[in-house]
């Protein structure tokens, strides 16, 4: 996925520390501290996830939340999320980030914005701990909700924070964790949740704070028509105009979803350098609509791929979403993507969205040794080994055979290296059961029961 879209047959890659020193065929390097035999393997640049909500991993496949539009889905799950505890955040991140690594993802952002009343405000620290243990390159964004239901917002007051607390902890997280170096394993962003869950004042203050530290900015925008109607009714303008008015456009900003931008707005996005995280599976699951990806790309908008929260996707699998993006746009006349373009969204495109294209997104000398391998000898690829670059997009793959981040093997033979997957899964399910049971006692609702939409 370099500038020439090279495909190297029977080649080698040599890395020292995190950095690729050489890549090609007939490399002169004959000895190394570690040698990986990649016979029958196809090597790809690591996939990059530009939007996620890891804490939602514990509320996947909730029957009561199936077949809902976004606002109804949120209202249902807020009742469970208000019972999150610090250990839940750690476990959900271990599960979600582990799934991502196993699906070839080497860098992931996260948008964490749910801070229930009465527990620690240092919750983003728990997912940072999980990322360090697993060895993934991590870009968490300190999210926030300040506009509770009592003041005209969507979320319950119990999962909102005061704006002073939000800004104070955002400063703490940036100062304690943000590493802007080229091969950083941890960068921090600022991310108020959405136009319907924060105030105008918090949007402006958050933008000022982010730019004072030189960190990037992220939020949801133009995801549904409900959001558009909310903005028109509450602030008298369309979502993008509201963002422009509060300082939320520029080449340091990326939005999640971007489905309902009109043509004039798309031109403005391209002109100011904004990025968009395309989340195909989530958008299909919630019937939110389909992003006009070809128009965005033609206008110069930076577009990357995201899996979105596990509760609206029910998985954290980048290989899955690469194929979903490819198939979704095939059905739209004039908006389809080639397999190469789709893979580029999840690699070079996502790197541009995160402002990290100097180090990740392609396999080139001087860039990070972030990559994954697929076993070409597996049964599911038989009869399909004609275009290696297109293989995970057109044929599809669910799991990587090996994933390497910064020169470190973190997935081997399809299993997380150095992590007990079964123990993590067991502990995470116990936490999920506890949260659902606690919510059921409070609301008198059976979250395991199916409810048709709009009833």
């Amino acid at each position: 996925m370099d500038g020439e879209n090279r495909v190297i047959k029977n080649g080698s890659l040599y890395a020292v520390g995190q950095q690729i020193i050489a890549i090609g065929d007939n490399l002169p390097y004959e000895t190394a501290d570690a040698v990986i035999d990649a016979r029958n393997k196809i090597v790809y640049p690591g996939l990059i996830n530009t939007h996620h909500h890891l804490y939602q991993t514990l509320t996947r496949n909730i029957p009561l939340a199936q077949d809902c539009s976004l606002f109804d889905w949120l209202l249902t799950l807020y009742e469970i999320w208000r019972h999150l505890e610090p250990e839940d955040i750690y476990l959900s991140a271990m599960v979600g980030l582990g799934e991502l690594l196993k699906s070839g993802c080497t860098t992931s952002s996260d948008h964490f914005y749910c801070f229930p009343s009465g527990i620690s405000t240092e919750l983003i620290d728990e997912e940072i701990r999980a990322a360090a243990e697993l060895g993934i390159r991590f870009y968490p964004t300190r999210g926030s909700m300040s506009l509770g239901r009592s003041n005209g917002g969507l979320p319950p007051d119990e999962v909102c924070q005061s704006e002073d607390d939000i800004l104070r902890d955002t400063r703490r997280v940036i100062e304690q964790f943000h590493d802007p170096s080229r091969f950083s394993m941890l960068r921090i962003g600022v991310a108020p949740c959405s136009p319907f869950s924060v105030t105008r004042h918090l949007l402006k203050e958050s933008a000022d704070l982010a730019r004072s530290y030189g960190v990037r900015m992220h939020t949801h925008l133009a995801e549904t028509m409900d959001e558009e109607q909310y903005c028109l009714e509450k602030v008298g303008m369309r979502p993008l105009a509201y963002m422009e008015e509060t300082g939320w456009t520029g080449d340091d900003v990326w939005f999640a979803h971007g489905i309902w931008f009109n043509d004039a707005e798309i031109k403005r996005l391209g002109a100011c350098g904004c990025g968009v995280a395309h989340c195909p599976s989530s958008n299909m699951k919630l019937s939110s609509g389909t992003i006009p990806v070809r128009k965005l790309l033609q206008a110069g908008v930076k577009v990357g791929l995201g899996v979105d929260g596990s509760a609206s996707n029910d998985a954290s699998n980048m290989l899955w979403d690469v194929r979903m993006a490819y198939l979704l746009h095939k059905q739209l006349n004039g908006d389809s993507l080639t397999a190469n373009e789709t893979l580029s969204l999840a690699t070079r495109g996502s790197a541009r969205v995160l402002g990290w294209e100097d180090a990740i997104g392609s396999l080139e000398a001087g860039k990070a040794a972030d990559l994954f391998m697929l076993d070409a000898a597996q049964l599911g690829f038989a009869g399909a080994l004609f275009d290696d670059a297109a293989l995970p997009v057109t044929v599809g793959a669910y799991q990587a055979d090996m994933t390497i981040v910064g020169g470190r093997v973190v997935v081997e033979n399809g299993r997380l290296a150095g992590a007990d997957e079964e123990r993590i899964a067991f502990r995470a399910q116990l936490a999920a059961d506890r949260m659902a049971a606690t919510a059921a006692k409070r609301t008198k609702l059976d979250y395991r029961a199916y409810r048709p939409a709009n009833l």
Side-chain angles (χ1 to χ4, degrees):
M1 303 307 298
D2 63 10
E4 300 173 7
N5 282 321
R6 289 185 301 159
V7 177
I8 302 169
K9 299 288 187 180
N10 301 315
S12 300
L13 182 150
Y14 182 75
V16 175
Q18 288 212 50
Q19 189 170 356
I20 298 171
I21 302 301
I23 182 171
D25 50 16
N26 299 315
L27 296 186
Y29 306 99
E30 296 180 356
T31 61
D33 295 329
V35 178
I36 295 171
D37 184 347
R39 282 178 292 185
N40 293 323
K41 304 296 191 297
I42 309 170
V43 181
Y44 300 88
L47 305 178
I48 301 167
N49 176 30
T50 59
H51 186 61
H52 208 331
H53 306 296
L54 288 165
Y55 77 89
Q56 294 181 10
T57 305
L58 299 184
T59 50
R60 297 190 280 187
N61 195 30
I62 298 287
L64 199 60
Q66 302 300 314
D67 302 311
C68 295
S69 62
L70 176 66
F71 278 20
D72 288 341
W73 174 86
L74 282 169
L75 291 171
T76 300
L77 292 180
Y78 280 140
E79 297 300 331
I80 303 178
W81 296 339
R82 70 169 70 202
H83 303 294
L84 281 164
E85 297 178 359
E87 184 71 3
D88 302 330
I89 307 305
Y90 167 76
L91 290 170
S92 62
M94 289 293 287
V95 172
L97 293 173
E99 283 187 273
L100 286 167
L101 285 171
K102 286 163 65 77
S103 66
C105 179
T106 53
T107 300
S108 181
S109 66
D110 187 61
H111 187 182
F112 186 85
Y113 58 82
C114 191
F115 292 82
S117 301
I119 65 170
S120 170
T121 61
E122 298 183 359
L123 297 181
I124 198 169
D125 304 48
E126 296 298 321
E127 55 182 30
I128 289 173
R129 174 164 70 101
E133 290 183 16
L134 292 169
I136 193 169
R137 205 177 298 277
F138 197 34
Y139 207 138
T141 58
R142 206 297 184 181
S144 55
M145 294 192 291
S146 66
L147 189 63
R149 203 168 294 162
S150 63
N151 292 312
L154 187 69
D157 293 351
E158 293 86 349
V159 293
C160 295
Q161 294 179 290
S162 74
E163 297 187 355
D164 285 345
D165 287 344
I166 290 166
L167 295 170
R168 184 184 308 111
D169 192 59
T170 303
R171 292 189 190 94
R172 178 193 68 85
V173 171
I174 295 170
E175 291 175 0
Q176 183 173 343
F177 295 112
H178 181 61
D179 175 5
S181 65
R182 187 172 176 224
F183 293 119
S184 168
M185 293 298 293
L186 181 62
R187 291 184 176 181
I188 302 294
V190 176
C193 182
S194 65
F196 50 81
S197 55
V198 298
T199 65
R200 183 192 302 264
H201 177 261
L202 183 61
L203 283 171
K204 291 182 176 179
E205 289 293 312
S206 296
D208 289 344
L209 186 152
R211 289 181 173 129
S212 73
Y213 283 98
V215 300
R216 298 180 79 79
M217 301 151 60
H218 181 50
T219 191
H220 298 93
L221 201 70
E223 181 176 3
T224 67
M225 290 298 292
D226 286 341
E227 174 200 310
E228 182 176 310
Q229 188 61 35
Y230 177 93
C231 288
L232 290 171
E233 291 178 0
K234 298 292 185 179
V235 300
M237 58 186 78
R238 288 174 57 81
L240 181 60
Y242 186 38
M243 292 296 108
E244 290 170 325
E245 193 265 342
T246 52
W248 271 79
T249 54
D251 62 5
D252 56 353
V253 177
W254 87 97
F255 299 124
H257 303 294
I259 296 168
W260 295 101
F261 293 127
N262 61 34
D263 289 350
E265 291 169 336
I266 289 172
K267 290 181 181 178
R268 300 208 303 272
L269 287 169
C272 73
C274 281
V276 172
H278 176 23
C279 305
S281 292
S282 170
N283 295 159
M284 288 189 282
K285 169 73 181 286
L286 294 176
S287 303
S288 299
T290 304
I291 181 175
V293 66
R294 180 65 66 188
K295 284 185 178 181
L296 289 165
L297 292 171
Q298 289 174 343
V301 180
K302 295 174 286 192
V303 182
L305 203 67
V307 299
D308 201 5
S310 296
S312 61
N313 183 323
D314 299 308
S316 298
N317 191 301
M318 279 292 287
L319 283 168
W320 182 346
D321 266 276
V322 167
R323 189 160 192 259
M324 288 298 102
Y326 174 70
L327 294 176
L328 172 63
H329 293 284
K330 278 294 182 187
Q331 72 168 345
L332 301 174
N333 292 332
D335 202 43
S336 65
L337 300 169
T338 67
N340 189 276
E341 288 174 321
T342 309
L343 187 59
S344 185
L345 287 185
T347 51
R348 296 179 69 193
S350 288
R352 292 182 66 223
V353 166
L354 297 183
W356 220 336
E357 61 266 42
D358 63 330
I360 59 176
S362 58
L363 296 179
E364 302 179 68
K367 288 197 171 184
D370 291 4
L371 55 96
F372 72 96
M373 303 182 196
L374 296 178
D375 184 356
Q378 62 180 282
L379 186 65
F381 293 155
L385 300 178
F386 299 106
D387 185 345
D388 292 348
L391 189 69
V393 184
T394 57
V395 177
Y398 185 79
Q399 184 170 290
D401 182 70
M402 177 176 283
T403 304
I404 296 174
V405 182
R408 173 189 171 192
V409 176
V410 292
V411 173
E412 189 168 13
N413 296 321
R415 301 275 299 180
L416 294 174
D420 186 335
E421 293 186 19
E422 286 73 24
R423 177 172 170 76
I424 293 167
F426 178 75
R427 291 172 62 197
Q429 187 58 52
L430 285 180
D433 289 340
R434 188 206 79 247
M435 288 170 56
T438 305
K441 289 179 182 179
R442 182 183 184 279
T443 62
K444 309 303 181 185
L445 293 173
D446 182 1
Y447 290 90
R448 298 176 182 273
Y450 174 76
R451 177 183 64 182
N454 301 319
L455 292 182

